[in-house]
Amino acid sequence: MDFTQQTHTLATLSRLKADALVLVLCGEASAAGLDEATADLLAAARHDGDFEPKAGRTWYVHRPAGLAARRLVVSAAADASPKAFRAAVASALKLLRPLGARTVHIARACGTAEAADRVLLAAHAQAAVLALADATYVYRHTKPSAPAAPTLEQGVLVCGDEAEAAGALAGIRTGLALAAGIELARECANRPGNHATPRHLAELARKLARQHGLKAEILDRKAIEKAGMGSFLAVSQGSEEPPRFIVLRYQGAPAAEAPLVLVGKGITFDTGGISLKPGAEMDEMKFDMGGAASVLGTLRAVAELKPAINVVALIPSCENMPDGRAVKPGDVVTSLSGQTIEILNTDAEGRLILCDALTYAERFKPRAVVDVATLTGACVVALGAQHSGLFTADDDLSAALLAAGQQAQDTCWRMPLDDEYAEGLKSNFADVANIGGRMGGAITAAMFLKRFTGAYRWAHLDIAGTAWKGGADKGATGRPVGLLTHFV
């Protein structure tokens, strides 16, 4: 996908030669400043009842009279916020997607003061890029019969002058990097479990390293055993597919500078193990490596944006299968930290592989660690599909992640971590149990992970509700690549 900008004022919009022109109206008074031909066309549509400038409304015209554009879509946004702007662009692209347009010009009618805001302009540019990337994504790796890719292949943001164009470029650059990272994460997570295996994730990490100047280190089963990751190995022991522990590094600062560590849960298929899941919708457990996919996508975006920071990605990856060698409820295993864990439920496996990765992170002396995991159904019950769950005792880290989510339109919501929630994790036979009771399940899962993070600043993102969609739109979302990239 290509995306750029072009200078052209609203006062002469009718002269803009475009394959398709999308005009976003930010609020009811935003049409001020449009040239006479465009304003008359819009006024006629309102008079005839074809269009009202209310959020979610769109209007399409082929070969609009008085305009040089072949196609015109007018799309109303609730206001000038990046979230509303992206929704309006997405609605317009939904109309254009099945048509023959190859290039879409996107013009903003957001009022004089708001349109001149450089920060807002950059956010709009980023939103437009991401909306186009989402509208043109088609999964086809295991579906040769998938519909042909949309003809839309290029986007152009219309800017009023050279100053606006310069401001838009930063947003476009960020948007393109995010789009590449999100697409990688979606493509990775959408692949079925017999394709996206731990070995596949390891090879993908190596490929990223070769193509983008990263450093990759892959630990196989013997190396994982030698390191002492008994909790991680316990989850993997029921599968014929060998586990992999992936270390991927981006160096944008001097080597002596403490890195940010991102930890992604990489369960490439989760049956629940001996604590077997119900058969209905179990196919969606191929998405249980959404944390790993998002961390890989984030490293892809970071490598393109080249921020002056060091980042380390850690991905413990395996399957959770109910083989005769599989770990059983009641088994006790020893984690890399030395703490023993009573496994009361083998379907609470994500925390068992993450805890060893969190201990492994200590060797990097990190400035902070953020783990990302499709961890609990309880988080889906609590927050639905709107926000990822954020757990941290560090107020500054929480504020940074919440702000990054707002910037990326990839939001999270802070959840509690009171000490009392850890009471349910007590065990008569080990240092800790891997589950508590049903109540507050997302919180007790985070409290389990917290036991392994005393050496550094830490946050946990539970993305079980946001990493993929079910139903007719089933597929990976690529979240939280946007949040993580803005945070980095």
Side-chain angles (χ1 to χ4, degrees):
M1 184 187 72
D2 186 24
F3 208 103
T4 186
Q5 50 73 34
Q6 179 180 340
T7 56
H8 207 290
T9 66
L10 291 177
T12 58
L13 195 61
S14 61
R15 303 178 199 167
L16 178 62
K17 292 182 178 180
D19 202 9
L21 172 61
V22 169
L23 176 61
V24 177
L25 302 180
C26 305
E28 292 197 20
S30 59
L34 290 173
D35 65 32
E36 185 176 356
T38 308
D40 287 349
L41 198 65
L42 190 56
R46 296 190 65 177
H47 179 270
D48 293 341
D50 292 343
F51 176 74
E52 282 295 325
K54 295 180 180 179
R57 295 292 297 273
T58 55
W59 178 55
Y60 173 74
V61 187
H62 186 71
R63 300 283 184 178
L67 272 64
R70 289 189 182 91
R71 304 167 180 86
L72 171 68
V73 179
V74 181
S75 186
D79 50 47
S81 69
K83 180 179 180 180
F85 181 80
R86 179 173 175 175
V89 173
S91 295
L93 294 176
K94 186 176 181 180
L95 288 178
L96 288 172
R97 193 175 185 273
L99 306 181
R102 294 187 176 276
T103 301
V104 57
H105 284 68
I106 300 169
R108 310 175 312 134
C110 294
T112 305
E114 290 170 323
D117 186 327
R118 295 284 291 275
V119 174
L120 182 62
L121 174 57
H124 281 177
Q126 176 184 302
V129 174
L130 293 176
L132 182 59
D134 187 54
T136 56
Y137 173 77
V138 178
Y139 173 78
R140 57 180 69 256
H141 179 71
T142 54
K143 189 177 180 181
S145 62
T151 56
L152 278 174
E153 56 189 22
Q154 183 179 29
V156 181
L157 185 67
V158 179
C159 300
D161 53 35
E162 293 297 333
E164 281 193 14
L169 284 176
I172 290 172
R173 178 171 176 262
T174 301
L176 287 171
L178 288 174
I182 290 168
E183 181 175 353
L184 185 148
R186 293 179 72 180
E187 192 69 17
C188 189
N190 279 335
R191 296 190 181 201
N194 61 327
H195 287 245
T197 63
R199 285 178 291 181
H200 169 77
L201 292 186
E203 184 50 44
L204 180 56
R206 289 192 181 99
K207 183 179 179 181
L208 280 173
R210 290 192 303 268
Q211 292 180 342
H212 299 285
L214 308 177
K215 293 182 180 179
E217 179 186 4
I218 310 299
L219 279 64
D220 61 11
R221 187 188 297 275
K222 287 185 179 180
I224 296 167
E225 290 175 350
K226 184 177 180 180
M229 298 186 202
S231 185
F232 175 25
L233 287 170
V235 177
S236 72
Q237 69 190 39
S239 175
E240 293 292 330
E241 180 65 38
R244 291 291 183 266
F245 190 87
I246 300 164
V247 183
L248 192 61
R249 306 187 201 195
Y250 162 81
Q251 186 173 330
E257 186 171 310
L260 172 67
V261 176
L262 304 177
V263 180
K265 173 187 170 185
I267 298 290
T268 57
F269 195 83
D270 181 20
T271 66
I274 298 300
S275 305
L276 193 68
K277 291 179 179 291
E281 299 179 346
M282 192 194 286
D283 65 291
E284 294 187 6
M285 288 301 96
K286 70 177 184 177
F287 297 121
D288 210 19
M289 39 70 74
S294 69
V295 167
L296 288 172
T298 299
L299 266 287
R300 168 68 177 84
V302 166
E304 188 161 319
L305 293 170
K306 296 180 171 55
I309 185 175
N310 295 331
V311 183
V312 176
L314 302 178
I315 297 173
S317 183
C318 67
E319 294 178 336
N320 185 23
M321 299 291 285
D323 184 86
R325 297 168 299 172
V327 67
K328 307 174 294 297
D331 284 359
V332 175
V333 299
T334 303
S335 68
L336 178 59
S337 70
Q339 297 179 72
T340 56
I341 303 168
E342 183 183 15
I343 301 175
L344 296 179
N345 188 320
T346 67
D347 194 25
E349 85 299 329
R351 64 201 74 180
L352 296 175
I353 71 172
L354 288 172
C355 71
D356 279 350
L358 290 169
T359 301
Y360 192 89
E362 290 182 21
R363 66 188 59 197
F364 298 101
K365 296 181 173 55
R367 61 194 294 174
V369 176
V370 179
D371 76 72
V372 192
T374 51
L375 204 63
T376 65
C379 196
V380 186
V381 173
L383 297 176
Q386 183 66 29
H387 303 292
S388 298
L390 167 63
F391 302 80
T392 181
D394 188 308
D395 290 341
D396 291 339
L397 195 53
S398 172
L401 286 161
L402 289 168
Q406 290 294 331
Q407 285 181 298
Q409 299 172 44
D410 184 358
T411 53
C412 56
W413 192 268
R414 192 176 185 183
M415 303 283 279
L417 274 181
D418 302 78
D419 291 340
E420 289 79 3
Y421 285 107
E423 290 295 312
L425 296 173
K426 290 182 177 179
S427 167
N428 291 338
F429 306 104
D431 294 322
V432 65
N434 77 323
I435 59 166
R438 291 188 63 218
M439 307 300 287
I443 306 170
T444 54
M447 292 301 294
F448 175 90
L449 296 177
K450 187 172 181 285
R451 295 178 61 96
F452 302 86
T453 64
Y456 46 73
R457 302 170 65 208
W458 162 78
H460 160 59
L461 288 170
D462 192 329
I463 61 169
T466 57
W468 80 91
K469 297 177 182 178
D473 295 325
K474 184 185 294 185
T477 64
R479 295 181 65 182
V481 170
L483 185 161
L484 292 173
T485 303
H486 274 277
F487 173 66
V488 172

